[in-house]
Amino acid sequence: MRVLVTGNHGYIGSVLMPLLKRAGHHVCGLDGDWFEPCTLFNSDANWPHVRLDLREVRADDLTGFNAVIHLAALSNDPLSNLDAELTYEINHRASVHLARLAREAGVERFLFSSSCSMYGTAGDDFLTEDAAFNPVTPYGRSKVLAERDISQLADDDFSPVFLRNATAYGVSPRLRLDLVLNDFVAAACTSGCIFIRSDGTPWRPVVHVEDICGAFLAALEAPRDAVHNQAFNIGRTDENFRVSEMAEIVSEVVPGSRVQYAADGGPDKRCYRVDCRKAEHTLPGFEPRWTVHRGAEQLRHAYREHGLTVDDISSPKFVRLRRLRELLDDRRLAADLRWVATAVVEEQQDVALVSDEG
């Protein structure tokens, strides 16, 4: 298939694109490139790419594609709290607009990267895809609204599919340290202290980034009737952990590290466990392989191999909110998170210089 991936330069996208290519698909990326320099290591990005704000996409940009995989978004709760209205503009309204344009352009399948955070506050019960939504942040609410409105576009020629990812972890060229397991291992490797900001009791379903990508590939290639206008929790049912449990696993994987709790840490409102059996039973070829223990070992090895430091943990390079604030403070991004024209030229010159020196 010819597949357009939005957010192809992000944490998930930079792992997904090579997987799609190896599977024989023709891929093209579309990304606003806010996080272009945020790399742990270089990767083979040998595919066509369009630098374009999601809100500026036109139907012509989607013509000729069989499928769209929509990853681009303000990608977590802290980012969504930067400006709630912008979160709804980008994650909800721009996503629905993209889906509508895709349908007009003749795109047959639209895979939407959703989130288990839409379940919000749910307690100890395991939640299937039919569970009630109770989001507690603009990010979670934006995903609920996007799913609702995109699903209404489904027809005989346009098939949306919603992948509700658990909290991601694992090595990616575009590393993120604003993800709980990635953060814990980074702290353990660089400072020896795994710091928990809550009381450690909230439940989190977690999933390796490679397993997320495997789910997207499976949903892309699945028979239409198996996935049409359906939602899938993406993860493993046996990989739901309390935050404190993940910290203890990391302390075992990184010898000499210790767990420390914030003195004022209280319970986190975000607390949910998810049942992921539907995806494992329905998506042909989808078999999540990673566990938190193996993922923590992978992260430990990568951090040491690439020389991650204490300063990196708090830098804009690996924390998405800090990167956006840096771009805003430097006036390279306007308040609406669109590139300032002069900044676009400067960023392109920087990329050209890197290419020439490489």
Side-chain angles (χ1 to χ4, degrees):
M1 298 184 212
R2 295 195 69 238
V3 184
L4 177 69
V5 179
T6 72
N8 69 290
H9 280 167
Y11 175 71
I12 296 174
S14 58
V15 178
L16 177 61
M17 295 294 274
L19 177 65
L20 295 174
K21 285 195 68 176
R22 289 195 298 270
H25 299 290
H26 302 281
V27 294
C28 180
L30 185 151
D31 199 301
D33 284 343
W34 294 334
F35 309 112
E36 185 156 9
C38 303
T39 56
L40 179 65
F41 55 88
N42 293 325
S43 61
D44 176 20
N46 185 25
W47 52 76
H49 168 71
V50 178
R51 179 171 179 157
L52 186 64
D53 189 294
L54 179 64
R55 293 163 289 183
E56 307 301 329
V57 176
R58 301 175 302 177
D60 289 348
D61 297 315
L62 308 178
T63 301
F65 289 102
N66 305 108
V68 170
I69 299 179
H70 180 37
L71 305 176
L74 292 174
S75 56
N76 61 13
D77 292 324
L79 277 181
S80 74
N81 292 329
L82 178 68
D83 187 320
E85 178 54 32
L86 273 177
T87 299
Y88 296 124
E89 178 184 335
I90 294 170
N91 290 9
H92 171 216
R93 294 191 291 274
S95 295
V96 176
H97 182 61
L98 178 71
R100 187 175 292 111
L101 292 177
R103 186 174 70 168
E104 292 175 6
V107 173
E108 299 163 11
R109 189 161 298 186
F110 186 90
L111 305 185
F112 178 67
S113 186
S114 193
S115 172
C116 286
S117 67
M118 60 205 309
Y119 298 123
T121 302
D124 295 335
D125 294 336
F126 281 94
L127 307 176
T128 68
E129 290 80 357
D130 296 326
F133 302 137
N134 192 20
V136 296
T137 64
Y139 174 74
R141 288 190 286 272
S142 72
K143 294 296 186 179
V144 172
L145 294 171
E147 278 200 22
R148 180 198 67 187
D149 293 346
I150 293 172
S151 68
Q152 295 174 8
L153 299 174
D155 59 25
D156 291 342
D157 300 313
F158 182 72
S159 186
V161 187
F162 308 98
L163 277 65
R164 296 176 185 166
N165 303 319
T167 299
Y169 68 87
V171 174
S172 163
R174 296 292 174 90
L175 179 70
R176 285 177 54 189
L177 294 182
D178 48 13
L179 297 166
V180 59
L181 191 70
N182 293 3
D183 172 51
F184 282 175
V185 180
C189 288
T190 57
S191 72
C193 179
I194 305 161
F195 190 69
I196 300 180
R197 295 171 179 81
S198 70
D199 63 3
T201 62
W203 286 104
R204 286 289 186 277
V206 290
V207 60
H208 196 282
V209 62
E210 292 180 14
D211 286 336
I212 291 175
C213 294
F216 274 104
L217 177 61
L220 177 70
E221 297 180 341
R224 186 181 190 275
D225 291 344
V227 297
H228 175 67
N229 208 20
Q230 294 188 55
F232 298 89
N233 292 335
I234 302 302
R236 289 174 49 160
T237 305
D238 60 353
E239 289 284 293
N240 286 268
F241 297 93
R242 293 190 187 277
V243 171
S244 59
E245 293 174 337
M246 282 190 278
E248 293 298 332
I249 291 171
V250 172
S251 70
E252 296 172 6
V253 170
V254 184
S257 61
R258 69 188 190 281
V259 178
Q260 179 180 343
Y261 289 83
D264 58 350
D268 191 326
K269 292 181 180 179
R270 299 168 300 168
C271 179
Y272 48 90
R273 305 167 82 185
V274 299
D275 185 320
C276 301
R277 289 176 294 177
K278 179 182 177 183
E280 293 185 42
H281 295 160
T282 306
L283 297 178
F286 174 56
E287 184 180 351
R289 302 178 184 276
W290 285 88
T291 65
V292 161
H293 194 280
R294 284 187 58 222
E297 291 177 333
Q298 181 207 34
L299 288 162
R300 180 197 63 199
H301 175 75
Y303 293 162
R304 289 176 174 171
E305 179 183 4
H306 297 289
L308 192 78
T309 68
V310 171
D311 290 340
D312 287 331
I313 294 177
S314 59
S315 76
K317 187 174 184 180
F318 299 126
V319 178
R320 296 300 190 247
L321 178 57
R322 292 192 178 115
R323 168 63 176 169
L324 284 187
R325 283 180 170 159
E326 177 185 57
L327 292 172
L328 288 166
D329 291 344
D330 292 346
R331 298 186 179 180
R332 285 182 281 173
L333 285 183
D336 63 358
L337 299 183
R338 286 180 167 88
W339 286 104
V340 176
T342 54
V344 173
V345 174
E346 291 170 359
E347 292 279 331
Q348 290 172 339
Q349 288 174 340
D350 289 343
V351 172
L353 180 60
V354 169
S355 299
D356 291 341
E357 293 176 345

